[in-house]
């Protein structure tokens, strides 16, 4: 049994952050210890707004101390971080990573660098983007940016797939072992496709699948992608197999969400297909 400490946001209603990551990882056979950076009523892209709070300074440190005191921190195989409520929380996460790796040198740090997209309503606190670029990047074993985050992390304007690959190689040269670009967007081969990129020691791989014509695109897809990739890797899949299985699982959730005409990801309805994905789309080596 593999164990993941998942430190990211939580929403009471819907699927974002831990609310999009914990259930899928558990369905894939991973024991998950959720730790929340914020607790909101719903994700921040609802037009009507949201209610809730950022967890106070010291909250993460205290919870990690509690895990260490009962002797279970050393049993953790990976730490997954996502949406941060403050840059100070990021520093507490890096302290947790250092503490975990001192106890378990084989433990992984998977960083989902949520840097915000104000035009879409995804808002992060001041200093978080700089923290991710200047501090977290140096500690991450695995990274899962979207295109905008990849541009911010590397200081590049990325217009096509070769430039995206160069940016990923730049991150690998800085010590990141594996980079998954969650959505290539305008830098992809085709604007009417959902395209992802995986760059790791085994090579560079590209995946493409149809886009669903949602009236309002569901939130939390990136959180689901990162969690599912990590779960598959911890389950023993090769990076390529984990990439393909992740694509199939997430596509099954999106298909169910589209069929239901829903705004929130239909994780429960799609749980069987998500946990036992039918891989019909294979990645191409670039």
């Amino acid at each position: 049994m593999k164990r993941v400490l998942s430190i990211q946001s939580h929403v009471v209603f819907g699927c974002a952050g831990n609310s999009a990551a914990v259930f899928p990882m558990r369905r894939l056979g991973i024991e998950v210890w959720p730790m929340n950076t914020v607790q909101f009523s719903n994700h921040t892209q609802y037009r009507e707004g949201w209610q809730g709070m950022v967890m106070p300074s010291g909250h993460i440190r205290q919870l990690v101390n509690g895990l260490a005191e009962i002797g279970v921190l050393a049993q953790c195989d990976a730490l997954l971080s996502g949406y941060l409520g403050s840059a100070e929380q990021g520093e507490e996460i890096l302290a947790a990573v250092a503490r975990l790796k001192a106890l378990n040198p084989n433990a992984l740090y998977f960083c989902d660098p949520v840097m915000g997209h104000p035009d879409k309503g995804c808002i992060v606190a001041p200093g978080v983007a700089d923290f991710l670029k200047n501090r977290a990047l140096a500690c991450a074993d695995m990274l899962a940016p979207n295109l905008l985050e990849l541009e911010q992390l590397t200081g590049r304007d990325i217009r096509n797939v070769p430039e995206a690959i160069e940016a990923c190689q730049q991150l690998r040269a800085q010590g990141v072992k594996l980079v998954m670009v969650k959505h290539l967007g305008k830098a992809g081969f085709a604007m009417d496709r959902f395209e992802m990129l995986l760059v790791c020691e085994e090579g560079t791989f590209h995946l493409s699948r149809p886009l669903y014509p949602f009236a309002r695109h569901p939130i939390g897809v990136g959180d689901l992608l990162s969690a599912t990739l990590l779960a598959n890797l911890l389950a023993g899949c090769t990076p390529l197999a984990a990439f393909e299985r992740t694509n199939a699982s997430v596509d099954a959730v999106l298909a169910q969400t589209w069929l239901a005409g829903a705004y929130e990801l239909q994780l429960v309805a799609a749980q069987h297909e998500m946990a036992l994905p039918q891989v019909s789309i294979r990645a191409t080596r670039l």
Side-chain angles (χ1 to χ4, degrees):
M1 176 72 70
K2 297 294 185 178
R3 301 169 179 88
V4 172
L5 176 57
S6 182
I7 309 179
Q8 46 189 317
S9 62
H10 170 75
V11 293
V12 176
F13 173 80
C15 299
N18 271 332
S19 301
V22 173
F23 177 66
M25 286 194 284
R26 286 175 173 165
R27 282 295 280 118
L28 288 163
I30 304 297
E31 183 177 321
V32 187
W33 305 339
M35 197 176 289
N36 301 327
T37 56
V38 306
Q39 177 155 298
F40 293 160
S41 56
N42 48 276
H43 67 67
T44 62
Q45 297 182 51
Y46 272 86
R47 302 184 186 101
E48 301 84 356
W50 74 95
Q51 298 290 325
M53 64 177 291
V54 175
M55 294 302 168
S57 176
H59 178 72
I60 293 171
R61 182 177 62 254
Q62 289 177 346
L63 294 181
V64 172
N65 285 343
L67 295 177
E69 286 171 0
I70 62 172
V72 299
L73 187 60
Q75 299 172 14
C76 186
D77 298 287
L79 190 153
L80 169 64
S81 69
Y83 184 96
L84 303 178
S86 66
E88 291 75 17
Q89 286 183 339
E91 293 295 345
E92 292 182 47
I93 289 172
L94 293 190
V97 170
R99 192 168 184 179
L100 172 59
K101 291 198 171 203
L103 294 169
N104 178 6
N106 294 319
L108 301 170
Y109 175 33
F110 192 120
C111 177
D112 186 344
V114 181
M115 303 177 83
H117 199 314
D119 292 342
K120 293 185 177 180
C122 181
I123 301 166
V124 297
V128 167
D130 287 338
F131 163 80
L132 290 166
K133 180 177 180 179
N134 299 323
R135 297 281 292 127
L137 178 57
C139 301
D141 297 296
M142 302 176 183
L143 205 65
N146 59 29
L147 181 66
L148 180 62
E149 292 157 354
L150 183 63
E151 289 181 324
Q152 292 184 70
L153 288 170
T154 59
R156 294 170 175 256
D157 179 21
I158 301 170
R159 295 159 294 185
N160 51 51
V161 173
E163 289 179 353
I165 295 171
E166 289 178 4
C168 292
Q169 294 291 14
Q170 177 181 326
L171 296 177
R172 295 232 321 124
Q174 292 175 256
V176 181
K177 298 180 181 68
L178 179 151
V179 182
M180 178 179 69
V181 184
K182 294 179 292 192
H183 185 22
L184 283 168
K186 66 181 177 65
F189 292 116
M191 290 300 293
D192 62 343
R193 306 283 293 181
F194 188 97
E195 300 178 57
M196 296 192 296
L197 197 64
L198 179 73
V199 181
C200 56
E201 185 178 355
E202 288 78 6
T204 298
F205 304 94
H206 174 268
L207 265 173
S208 172
R209 58 174 169 78
L211 279 169
Y212 295 92
F214 290 104
R216 288 196 299 172
H217 287 278
I219 306 306
V221 178
D223 305 320
L224 177 59
L225 282 165
S226 296
T228 307
L229 181 69
L230 177 58
N232 278 290
L233 290 168
L234 290 176
C237 293
T238 66
L240 175 57
F243 189 44
E244 293 175 336
R245 286 176 58 86
T246 295
N247 179 66
S249 292
V250 175
D251 184 61
V253 173
L254 288 170
Q256 186 64 50
T257 305
W258 163 248
L259 289 171
Y263 181 36
E264 295 287 355
L265 294 173
Q266 299 298 292
L267 297 179
V268 175
Q271 62 179 295
H272 300 297
E273 295 84 357
M274 181 177 64
L276 298 169
Q278 300 298 310
V279 179
S280 59
I281 298 175
R282 296 295 178 180
T284 301
R285 182 184 291 271
L286 299 181

